[in-house]
Structures are given as structure tokens and as C-alpha cells.
């Protein structure tokens, strides 16, 4: 990690100590999902260093194809903020967001996305496509990937290994 002297500012794309802390919270959400028989993905939304929302996947239990951790966390954060614009928010998620979630993050005007492990089959933050930084859209999101990647990928791998 490269930290600029005196300012404490971190160059875009690099992880901070706070990223590790908040990703651990997202991992706990993902573990809750796994215990509930859901794909273990967790999301946390932070504004000004405070968690304002957290969620985990609930597609199986709700029968709702949009009940991804990121979407549920965005909905909860919008309620807390009483506005759909989540300016200055950082979204932590254990898996690189899919196109639906990446689009919602852009539409919410979040400042930053931090994800754990890449998703080569559906990732929309650089793996398969990059919706979050598409210059054709009216908002771009700073992306940091690979935070606690080993832990995030292990949780997913173990979950699917048990089901096959």
C-alpha cells in the first residue's frame, strides 16, 4: 500500500487499513448467508468512516433475483440517508459485482467500490466488463479489488464444494 506522506491520502486503487476492517464485516455477512443456504456474498456501505448499511445475499430465501447483497445494502443505505444518492459512500463486497449490482452502484453515485475476489464469469468491475468506470456513463466509481481475496474466495469455494 502506498500512502502519501503527511496527508494520509491513499492513491486510488490501493487498499487501506480501513478497507481490511470493513471487508471483514462484509465477510461476516457472507458467512451469515452461507449459514442460511445462500451464496456467501456480503456487502457493507460506509460513509465518513461509519457503516450505514450491511447485507448478504437473500435470493434463495426470498425468491427474488435482485436480492443480491449489494442491492440490499444499497436499499438500506438509501433509507438511512433518505436519498438515493450515496455521495461519498464506499461499498465493500466480498465478490466483484455483477452487471446489475455494478449498474446500481453507479446509479447510486457511490464514490468507491472495494471487492474481495474477482468474478471472471460475471464480474462488472473489470473482469468480464467494467460498468463502474465506463466513461460513457455520467458517473464513474473508483475500484479497489483483491482485498482479503484469499478469505473471500475460500468462503465461496468451500460453499460450492459442499453442494457438489
Amino acid at each position: 500500500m502506498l500512502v502519501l506522506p503527511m496527508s494520509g491520502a491513499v492513491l486510488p486503487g490501493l487498499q487501506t487499513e480501513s478497507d481490511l476492517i470493513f471487508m471483514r464485516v462484509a465477510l461476516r455477512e457472507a458467512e451469515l448467508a452461507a449459514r442460511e443456504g445462500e451464496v456467501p456474498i456480503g456487502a457493507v456501505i460506509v460513509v465518513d468512516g461509519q457503516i450505514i448499511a450491511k447485507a448478504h445475499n437473500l435470493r434463495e430465501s426470498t425468491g427474488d433475483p435482485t436480492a443480491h447483497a449489494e442491492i440490499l445494502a444499497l436499499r438500506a443505505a438509501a433509507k438511512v440517508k433518505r436519498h438515493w444518492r450515496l455521495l461519498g459512500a464506499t461499498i465493500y463486497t466480498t465478490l466483484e459485482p455483477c452487471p446489475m449490482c455494478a449498474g446500481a452502484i453507479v446509479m447510486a453515485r457511490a464514490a468507491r467500490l472495494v471487492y474481495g475476489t474477482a468474478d471472471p464469469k460475471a464480474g462488472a468491475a473489470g473482469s468480464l466488463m467494467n460498468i463502474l468506470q465506463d466513461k460513457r456513463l455520467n458517473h464513474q466509481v473508483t475500484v479497489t479489488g483483491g482485498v482479503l481475496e484469499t478469505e473471500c474466495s475460500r468462503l465461496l469455494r468451500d460453499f460450492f464444494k459442499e453442494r457438489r
Side-chain angles (χ1 to χ4, degrees):
M1 173 178 71
L2 177 60
V3 178
L4 299 175
M6 307 279 263
S7 70
V10 176
L11 296 176
L14 299 176
Q15 71 183 22
T16 67
E17 286 301 315
S18 294
D19 291 343
L20 297 173
I21 291 165
F22 294 125
M23 186 60 74
R24 285 186 184 100
V25 176
L27 268 165
R28 284 194 294 275
E29 284 293 314
E31 290 164 355
L32 287 173
R35 284 196 289 269
E36 295 172 16
E38 300 280 351
V39 175
I41 300 169
V44 173
I45 300 183
V46 175
V47 175
D48 296 327
Q50 300 294 313
I51 294 172
I52 64 166
K54 56 187 177 177
H56 56 271
N57 271 10
L58 290 175
R59 284 189 316 172
E60 301 303 321
S61 60
T62 64
D64 179 353
T66 69
H68 290 202
E70 300 92 330
I71 298 293
L72 298 173
L74 286 167
R75 289 176 184 160
K79 283 183 183 176
V80 168
K81 297 298 272 181
R82 294 189 172 137
H83 205 281
W84 62 269
R85 282 190 179 105
L86 299 177
L87 302 174
T90 298
I91 300 173
Y92 294 86
T93 185
T94 55
L95 181 66
E96 178 184 3
C98 72
M100 174 183 68
C101 294
I105 291 166
V106 169
M107 293 299 125
R109 308 295 195 272
R112 185 168 176 245
L113 167 78
V114 178
Y115 69 85
T117 192
D119 184 353
K121 293 183 179 179
S127 290
L128 185 63
M129 63 188 75
N130 195 348
I131 291 172
L132 293 158
Q133 296 178 325
D134 191 322
K135 299 287 186 208
R136 296 170 295 176
L137 299 174
N138 65 346
H139 179 75
Q140 288 80 46
V141 178
T142 300
V143 175
T144 302
V147 175
L148 298 180
E149 181 174 13
T150 301
E151 294 90 331
C152 293
S153 62
R154 181 182 307 125
L155 185 60
L156 282 160
R157 186 179 58 247
D158 291 350
F159 176 82
F160 286 113
K161 190 180 200 180
E162 289 175 13
R163 276 146 186 81
R164 291 185 180 139

